[in-house]
Amino acid sequence: MAKLLIRNGRVIDPANRIDRVADVLLANGIVRGVGENLPSRGAEEFDATGLIVAPGFIDMHVHLREPGFESSETIESGSKAAAAGGFTSVCCMPNTSPVNDTAHLTRYIIERAKQVAKVNVFPIGAITKGSAGEELASIGAMQAAGTVAISDDGRPVMNSRVMRRAMEIAASFDIPVIDHCEDLNLSAGGDMHEGLASLRYGLRGIPACSEDVMVARDILLAEVTGARFHVAHLSTTNAIAMVAEAKRRGLRVTCEVTPHHFAIHDLEITPYDSNYKMKPPIRCSHDVAAMIEGIKAGYIDAIATDHAPHSVTDKMQEFERCPFGILGLETAIGLSLECLVHPGHITIERMIELFTTGPAGILKLNRGALTPGLPADVTLLDLESKWTYDVNKSASKSRNSPFDGKVFRGRAVGTIVSGELIWQA
Amino acid sequence: MTKGLLDIEALDRAEIESLLTRAVDFQPLQTQRDKRLDLLDGRLVVNLFFEASTRTRISFEIAAKRLGADAISISAQGSSVSKGETLLDTVSTLSAMKPDAIVMRHAASGAPHFLARHLPTIPIINAGDGQHEHPTQALLDARTILDNRASLEGLRVAIIGDILHSRVARSNIHLLSKFGVDIVLCGPAPLVPQDLKHIAPGVSITHDIKQALRDTDIIMMLRVQLERQNETNFPAGEYSRFYGLRAENLALAKPDAIVMHPGPMNRGREISTEVADSSRSVILSQVENGIAVRMAVLERVLQ
């Protein structure tokens, strides 16, 4: 499709401070313009009356599982799930098998995505070889190959000296360091948030302080090194307070939260249902409130899903034995609308910002806006349509979601990548 | 879902009272020459023990047999579990053999709940799941208390030891709380988290054993889980000094206070031999009551 004219939608483009009914013209894969009554000039027209036309949503934290764990997800299936969730771009974490810790593997993921992915795929490279936390990976080479950030996600970098060196090098390449902040000595053996619910169910707890101490350490190291440090899936009250303080002090610290961390608390989970097992764990109501307050106050820079597919076989085990992680791509917008926008905590503009300019800015993706000349990625939203999430109809290869059967109000109804409508509800 | 017994927390007070009352009917059997009833004649109970246990497994076996049921016991060692079969597959296979109930012990908290959700047609009786609950232990403990006291109401019960890791403690807390018992939890701070006082009404916490014992009617000692001592929860060598029950601190409790222990005991660690073997100890009564209570539970589940 060479030209697409999206007519009469409510265009919300936070980067350009646009919020009005207008047309959006896309041509040859780039945004041509936003305005009233744009001439079609041979473009195919899409009537977006009653819909919101937003820049393409970016999920800066997903697990596509390829290579190595294709029974759970592939680049193709994960990208289809992204499209069905309204995302035009995803950033995939390196904890594949082998770990994406080389330029060679980064290039493989990019090439594979070009062949099979519905959406844009940006690899994140490992901080250390094999994400083992000991020897630094080839950060510069990976960045040259297309890596947009480095992270050992799934694991923290426990060795503070190694993290310091990684930040020094990352700073010199101006590539962000994303840390999975968890002190493994404090969280060892834990299965869910340490609190009243874990005591009641007899499950070993993951204390909030296991996250806090690593966020604190990393902020201190970011200050020493001048690195751009990004907290992955932040989930605790103290962690957000520390990020807020770091921002006040002018440090280059950013953070993301996942929808499940602002949607449910530990006393709401179905006991022993492995679909509620993830890291960081679902925290207590106090932390959930802090996530929402952090979003309202502007301390949180992005919403990311931490989409973590696991096969039914892997998840169908005793809670203590099954792996951590849940699907996220197809429920993120519904949860964000339900928990943030509909109750009036934030505006829809702010929500769009958290899915577009927020992650784009952290990763320097040159996307996330409807600025003429940028890639023609667009997400179409219907804020009112009621729908029920049926995990068995998910585009993902996995089925591990605690939100199966949940009724939502509002969703993505169209996903446009490079000017092509690749998914429609 | 078929009625099994997964935990005490979900049982209401009337159900507990019914089980405790029925257990009384079975108590005299222990001393009779003919110990067998045929209330469950022809029924099959599978005891599935994924975690080592002797007293609980045998107690359930005896209870089933005394009711006339057939009882088969399977342990994880040497079974298909040790060959990598999943819990769900193991129990699915067993369920195809049509047992009338499965008694399960498992090292993972919630394992019986997991199975009950996926195999809703077979009643599952929890014989201890990880650190979560051990419902029949709490019932036999309550039966033992009631053999020595007129009622549970108004009692002060001290539970002393590693509460955090204890399924026995959790079940007892839930049961006793439903009867308005004043429950005092005591042990080293890492093993008795403050949030525990919110787990049920009537629970308080102290880290001072003297305070816990003072004016107490019932003392429940818990086993020091030696296998967890490498977690540096508390220096093992100091445990006995600060949290061991000895004759001198037992004197702080009411004169007729009874001493309980779910076993196996670490003599000289959480309890002195002098106390364990004293007239105040009802530890062997607990074991004896285990059979009567489990008969009541099996009858409730299978009839």
Side-chain angles (χ1 to χ4, degrees), chain A residues 147-171:
Chain A
T147 280
V148 296
I150 53 170
S151 178
D152 278 353
D153 187 58
R155 298 181 189 178
V157 177
M158 282 293 289
N159 186 315
S160 302
R161 185 178 51 80
V162 171
M163 191 54 151
R164 178 187 175 176
R165 298 297 176 230
M167 284 194 181
E168 285 170 345
I169 290 169

Side-chain angles (χ1 to χ4, degrees), chain A residues 4-11 20-24 44-54 378-383 413-414 416 421 424:
Chain A
L4 180 66
L5 183 60
I6 305 167
R7 285 275 193 210
N8 292 318
R10 180 184 167 195
V11 179
R20 66 178 190 271
V21 174
D23 303 336
V24 177
E44 184 168 331
E45 295 196 21
F46 184 97
D47 182 7
T49 305
L51 302 181
I52 285 173
V53 182
V378 175
T379 296
L380 301 169
L381 303 169
D382 180 340
L383 299 192
V413 291
I416 296 167
L421 182 65
Q424 193 170 9

